[in-house]
């Protein structure tokens, strides 16, 4: 059964997305994507708590190139590369 399941999700991307989930972009170029937060059931406070874990405070959100809610529930943060 596991073999069949694995084969299905490898060959059927839509089925894989349904069963395993998909990452969601929460911030793009320093702008919060409010519809994405709402769709994921996250508040801005939840997002800011995740950003603080990455050393980003409310005033530093403009430095965030992208913040992504991963399939496993973690938030990944990519900062702009300012030189």
């Amino acid at each position: 059964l596991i073999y069949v399941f694995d084969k299905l999700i490898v060959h059927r991307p839509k089925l894989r997305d349904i069963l395993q989930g998909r990452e969601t972009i929460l911030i793009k170029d320093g702008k919060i994507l409010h519809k994405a937060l709402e769709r994921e059931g996250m508040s801005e406070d939840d997002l800011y708590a995740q950003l603080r874990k990455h050393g980003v405070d409310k005033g530093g959100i403009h430095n965030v190139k992208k913040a992504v809610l991963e399939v496993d529930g973690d938030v990944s943060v990519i900062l702009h590369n300012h030189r």
Side-chain angles (χ1 to χ4, degrees), residues 5-46:
F5 182 74
D6 285 344
K7 286 294 184 187
L8 281 174
I9 63 173
V10 167
H11 296 290
R12 306 272 188 205
K14 286 185 181 185
L15 182 60
R16 179 182 55 234
D17 291 346
I18 291 168
L19 296 175
Q20 292 183 328
R22 201 166 184 180
E23 68 276 350
T24 302
I25 298 172
L26 303 174
I27 298 175
K28 186 170 183 177
D29 294 323
K31 299 197 182 348
I32 297 174
L33 304 179
H34 293 280
K35 288 184 180 182
L37 282 182
E38 188 176 306
R39 188 172 51 249
E40 296 298 336
M42 287 182 74
S43 68
E44 277 192 35
D45 289 338
D46 295 331

Side-chain angles (χ1 to χ4, degrees), residues 30-79:
K31 299 197 182 348
I32 297 174
L33 304 179
H34 293 280
K35 288 184 180 182
L37 282 182
E38 188 176 306
R39 188 172 51 249
E40 296 298 336
M42 287 182 74
S43 68
E44 277 192 35
D45 289 338
D46 295 331
L47 177 60
Y48 284 122
Q50 292 297 317
L51 292 174
R52 282 192 301 275
K53 291 179 182 179
H54 294 276
V56 179
D57 62 12
K58 282 186 180 183
I61 197 166
H62 64 279
N63 292 321
V64 177
K65 182 175 183 178
K66 190 186 290 187
V68 179
L69 178 63
E70 303 291 353
V71 175
D72 64 2
D74 288 338
V75 174
S76 298
V77 177
I78 301 165
L79 299 176

